[in-house]
Amino acid sequence: MKRTIRLLAAPATALLLLSACGSADEPSNATPTEAEENVDSQAEAADESDSWPIVEDEDGNVVENPEDESGAFSLTDEPFFASTVTGAQITMTMDAQPDASEEIAWLEQYREDAGGEPVSYILSDVDNRDGSEPINMYNISVYDEEGLEWACGSPDEYLDEVWRPEWLYISTDEDEYESADGEPMDYDVAKELDDRASEHEYVHGVSPFERATMVSICAAELPETAMAVEVMPQGIMQDPIYATPESYMGEDG
C-alpha cells in the first residue's frame, strides 16, 4: 500500500521568512513587535496541530497514527512480507483465525478436543516458484516493545509435544493413555486423538517451483504490536530474515 505525506501547516522557519519578506514598495504597517508576535502565534498553532503532517494512503484516505513513536508496528492491520536470498516470497497473516485455512481449523479443533491451552496461529503463503531451495518455516519469533519473544514453531512438533496423548504401552507395557501433561485419560477418547494425529498430513516444506501455505503455532496470544518479526525459513543452516508490514515495502515492494 502506498502512503503519501501531505504537509498542512508550514514550519515555523518558513512562516518567519514569509512574514519578514514583503514588497519593497509596500512597507508593512505592523511594528517589529507585532510582526514577531504574529509569527510566534502561527508557529505555535502549527506545532500544536495534531494534523501535521497528514499521511494518506494511495486512495487519499487519511491514515491516523501510521507508526508508533517507539518504532513498533501493528501485527494485524495488514499482511507481513519476507523475501529469502534463494528467491522465495513469503506473505504472512499474523494471528490467523480458523476460517482462514482448513489446516488452522483442523488444528484448532484438535486443540479443543485434547483440552490444550489457547494458542495463536500464523499463516504463511510461501511462493517458491522462483526459489532454488526448499522452504520449511522452521521458526518465527515475534519481539515486543519490552524485548519479550513469542516463539512460533511447526504444528507437527507442537502437536506431538503439547496436545497428543501418550500411549503408555511403549514405556510401561500398560495399554493405557495419559495426556501430554501426564494426566490420566479415558482410553477411547485418547486413542481417537492419537489415531487422528497419526493420520493427519502436514505441509512440511515448500519445494522449488511450488507454492503452498504453511501454518506456525505460537504458544500464547500474540501482542498487538511488535518491534520485529524474525523468520527462519530454511532452518538453522541459513541466517534468519525479517518480515515487515507490506506497506513498509514502498511503491516497489
Side-chain angles (χ1 to χ4, degrees), residues 69-238:
E69 291 182 358
S70 67
F73 41 75
S74 171
L75 284 179
T76 57
D77 283 353
E78 57 184 313
F80 278 61
F81 180 81
S83 178
T84 72
V85 295
T86 60
Q89 309 296 316
I90 304 169
T91 304
M92 303 161 59
T93 301
M94 315 297 288
D95 196 22
Q97 300 303 306
D99 59 0
S101 156
E102 291 184 1
E103 180 68 15
I104 295 179
W106 188 95
L107 289 164
E108 182 63 9
Q109 185 63 60
Y110 191 96
R111 179 195 68 80
E112 293 179 357
D113 294 345
E117 295 294 325
V119 297
S120 299
Y121 300 97
I122 298 176
L123 182 64
S124 298
D125 176 2
V126 181
D127 187 347
N128 205 20
R129 290 174 291 182
D130 293 327
S132 58
E133 298 290 339
I135 301 297
N136 58 29
M137 300 303 290
Y138 176 77
N139 186 71
I140 300 172
S141 292
V142 177
Y143 297 92
D144 70 4
E145 296 177 64
E146 303 298 325
L148 299 178
E149 177 188 12
W150 274 255
C152 310
S154 60
D156 51 346
E157 294 178 359
Y158 194 93
L159 178 75
D160 288 339
E161 296 176 5
V162 182
W163 295 335
R164 188 173 184 168
E166 181 182 358
W167 187 34
L168 300 180
Y169 185 82
I170 298 175
S171 58
T172 67
D173 290 335
E174 296 181 7
D175 191 14
E176 297 178 355
Y177 283 92
E178 66 180 18
S179 66
D181 56 5
E183 296 296 326
M185 288 191 70
D186 177 82
Y187 183 89
D188 291 337
V189 172
K191 188 176 188 310
E192 190 278 329
L193 286 168
D194 190 27
D195 292 343
R196 198 194 314 176
S198 297
E199 295 168 0
H200 188 70
E201 295 184 2
Y202 298 89
V203 177
H204 292 280
V206 182
S207 301
F209 309 110
E210 182 183 14
R211 181 176 184 177
T213 57
M214 300 187 69
V215 176
S216 301
I217 297 180
C218 314
E221 182 179 359
L222 291 171
E224 293 184 1
T225 60
M227 298 296 293
V229 176
E230 184 183 71
V231 183
M232 297 182 68
Q234 294 172 277
I236 60 175
M237 302 305 295
Q238 294 287 340

Side-chain angles (χ1 to χ4, degrees), residues 31 53 58 72 157 197 228:
T31 65
E58 58 187 0
E157 294 178 359

